[in-house]
Amino acid sequence: MQPSFLIKMLQSNTSINISHPAPGDWFVAAHLPPSSQKIEMKGFVPTCAYTFQPDMLVVRVVEVSILEPNIPFPQTLLFHPSYLKIFVPEYTQELRLELQGCASNGSLGCPVHLTVGSATLPSNFQKVLTCTDSTQACHLLLPSPPWDRWLQVTAKSLAGPHVLVAFSIVAALTVCRPWIVNFQYLLQNNPNQSCNASTSLLPPSPGYQDLGRSSSVGGSPFCLRSYQVMREDMDVVFVHFWPLNRVSVLVQSDMPSVMRLQLNTGMDSGGSLTISLWVNKSVISNNTLIMVCVNAASPFLSFNSSLNCTTAFFQGYPLSLSTSSRKANLIIPYPETDNWYLSLQLVCLQSPEECEKASVLVETTLSLVPCLNDCGPYGQCLLLRRHGYLYAGCSCKAGWCGWGCSDNSTAQTVAQQRAAALLLTLSNLLFLAPITVSVYRCLLVEASVYAYTMFFSMFYHACDQPGEAVLCILNYDTLQYCDFLGSGVSIWVTILCMAQLKAALKYVLLLLGTLVFAMSLQLNRMGIWNVMGPCLFALVLMVTMWVYHCGHRRHCYPTSWQRWVFYLLPGISMASVAIAIYASMMTSDNYYYTHSIWHMLLAGSTAFLLPPRDKHGEPWACSRLTCHYQICKNHREELYTMT
């Protein structure tokens, strides 16, 4: 993938000037610097909103002359440059541009600066020809120029502003004939093979061996062997490319075998182009090498003179197959929208005569996929849409990174993943302490809420783990909702229990608070005020009731200093530390142990803050299932004492 323009916007406005941009799709992407790993609750910390508004101003060239092949085109340069264009047809092997009869105010000098092609990215592939000496031929040779498109040529004068420069420019195209391997040809070479035009299931046959062995027919040379490729759209940004026989491509030494992959639908640039090639070890000799080039816009055809996969304006991707390396893979993330070409040719570097009669069948797997290997076990493939542009990407977990979440340089080990899962799940077992205290003091409603919270918190964190240490008993969204609901309602019922309300009012508020929690979590599950709002209301209610008891009894409430020292102060301290950790110390890196500490502190503070049992009641009274008479309790008077 070619590099892109990168600008750091330290001010409110910035601009980029691109002269003679290449036709096609251009993309503008803006992102903020990487954020800190700190986990912040939504609504607790103010967020900054940034607005990005790109504007594009296009200035078009009005006078553009058409340069016809093999016809000299006279030009005169004085103040302004001259703009020309030439159409490059398909199967053009070479383009030659030459300046003739160049003169400057009657002299023999040729101060002309010729630029061929359009501007792309900072790695500009424009070709420049500077002519200063008229004694030598001034020409530019472009191998494999882009097919089926107009090529822009800009001529500028290197002389002064008042110096007249005159010349003629000639464009010569070398176009060869392709040997097209189509469906009818394969049928002719397989007369006994029954085929279905929709599936084209044609195995390799002996007819392949004679395919294209002659490099010319009737005096017209062939420059390539073109294999027809079928495009099969499987899904969004998911395409398979099949040769006509569905599997293999014949590769010989006399000319390259070329396959065209059409990635020009507008959405094809949002995935990854994957190319896999392999050859059977028994069909390739030790001195034989299969060179492969992958290029956009035009194929690489000059295997006999160079192996660098460079065309006129594109640096291709080289691959090779041999006896020591029988498989080759190439992945191109977000390929540009264009026709891509796969070129293969047999090469014998040590003894070329060995390749004259050799033929090799290369098996291919060509596809456009949204994500590499579906992002693997440590990632999730996401299909995203931004302002009408559809693209896919991997969201990696457990420290894995890369295009397909396959880079483990910063990844967690399996032991670390299991340790994190055990800490986050088993830390919830400390809720057995408030459950036991609640049953001991006959607070069965509170005990049931704590048991609910412990159960769903354990299995939510078991399902929330990346990688291998994962266990989901329900779908993730349900477990998350139940965990958040249980945490909020646990705090709510604990504070209401501490407020020492009358039983009827207490259970009415408990039910109403649970309904409010359920509604607010459905509206915004990550908002901090969904939990803080009801809890602050419960705290105000508790303080109000305690102040009322103090005034009614004319004594500090609770009355026992042992209750304050051994229960309330430790419980409040643990709750304060838990809130501080939850609000300011939790990050993505330390989440598994800071959140585990949050679980333990929350459970411990709940066990300390629960009010004592009625001094007239018996321990574990509510756990007995025997039937007996009970004295009805008068709830009209609050006669509880704190011991």
Side-chain angles (χ1 to χ4, degrees), residues 246-261:
R246 283 277 179 169
V247 179
S248 57
V249 174
L250 182 69
V251 181
Q252 296 175 341
S253 62
D254 55 346
M255 70 182 78
S257 300
V258 177
M259 302 172 65
R260 182 178 66 177
L261 313 179

Side-chain angles (χ1 to χ4, degrees), residues 268-533:
D268 294 337
S269 60
S272 296
L273 178 62
T274 62
I275 298 175
S276 298
L277 308 172
W278 64 95
V279 63
N280 194 340
K281 185 177 181 180
S282 60
V283 299
I284 185 171
S285 62
N286 294 330
N287 299 326
T288 303
L289 185 67
I290 300 176
M291 292 301 301
V292 183
C293 291
V294 181
N295 297 76
S298 61
F300 179 77
L301 304 175
S302 306
F303 287 99
N304 295 328
S305 59
S306 174
L307 300 177
N308 58 5
C309 295
T310 302
T311 58
F313 303 102
F314 192 87
Q315 174 57 53
Y317 300 91
L319 298 171
S320 63
L321 297 171
S322 62
T323 54
S324 59
S325 177
R326 296 184 295 108
K327 294 183 180 181
N329 297 292
L330 176 65
I331 299 171
I332 305 176
Y334 305 116
E336 58 183 271
T337 301
D338 209 330
N339 286 326
W340 286 75
Y341 294 89
L342 178 66
S343 306
L344 308 94
Q345 186 166 338
L346 204 61
V347 177
C348 293
L349 300 178
Q350 297 180 355
S351 53
E353 61 275 2
E354 293 185 7
C355 291
E356 293 181 359
K357 296 183 179 181
S359 298
V360 178
L361 288 174
V362 178
E363 298 182 357
T364 63
T365 300
L366 314 171
S367 59
L368 178 73
V369 296
C371 298
L372 304 180
N373 299 323
D374 203 20
C375 299
Y378 299 102
Q380 181 182 7
C381 185
L382 303 178
L383 196 62
L384 307 172
R385 182 183 294 275
R386 294 292 185 271
H387 302 285
Y389 176 58
L390 190 67
Y391 65 100
C394 288
S395 176
C396 304
K397 302 177 181 180
W400 290 74
C401 53
W403 290 110
C405 299
S406 57
D407 184 2
N408 61 351
S409 58
T410 60
Q412 297 179 2
T413 62
V414 177
Q416 290 175 328
Q417 296 176 34
R418 292 176 180 174
L422 290 175
L423 275 175
L424 288 170
T425 54
L426 298 183
S427 60
N428 288 280
L429 292 178
L430 266 73
F431 274 95
L432 291 174
I435 293 173
T436 304
V437 172
S438 301
V439 175
Y440 178 80
R441 296 174 184 176
C442 206
L443 302 173
L444 295 184
V445 175
E446 289 78 359
S448 62
V449 172
Y450 301 148
Y452 175 93
T453 303
M454 180 185 69
F455 178 84
F456 281 104
S457 181
M458 287 180 61
F459 285 101
Y460 163 66
H461 287 291
C463 185
D464 191 40
Q465 298 304 306
E468 299 181 3
V470 181
L471 174 63
C472 297
I473 61 172
L474 297 173
N475 66 75
Y476 178 84
D477 187 71
T478 302
L479 290 173
Q480 185 187 65
Y481 181 85
C482 294
D483 173 58
F484 289 8
L485 178 64
S487 300
V489 175
S490 295
I491 300 174
W492 172 258
V493 299
T494 303
I495 300 175
L496 288 182
C497 190
M498 293 172 61
Q500 293 289 11
L501 299 171
K502 293 183 179 181
L505 180 60
K506 171 185 172 181
Y507 294 121
V508 168
L509 291 177
L510 192 150
L511 180 59
L512 289 178
T514 303
L515 295 176
V516 170
F517 271 112
M519 177 196 67
S520 60
L521 290 176
Q522 182 65 28
L523 293 175
N524 185 7
R525 194 170 299 178
M526 298 298 175
I528 186 63
W529 291 106
N530 294 338
V531 177
M532 288 187 61

Side-chain angles (χ1 to χ4, degrees), residues 10 33 56 62 76 83 131 133 187 193 224 248 312 366 378 407 416 444 468 473 504 515 533 538 573 581 637:
L10 301 179
M56 183 178 66
V62 177
T76 301
Y83 299 101
C131 301
D133 189 2
L187 286 177
Q193 180 72 34
L224 59 93
S248 57
L366 314 171
Y378 299 102
D407 184 2
Q416 290 175 328
L444 295 184
E468 299 181 3
I473 61 172
L515 295 176
S573 300
I581 292 176
E637 297 182 2

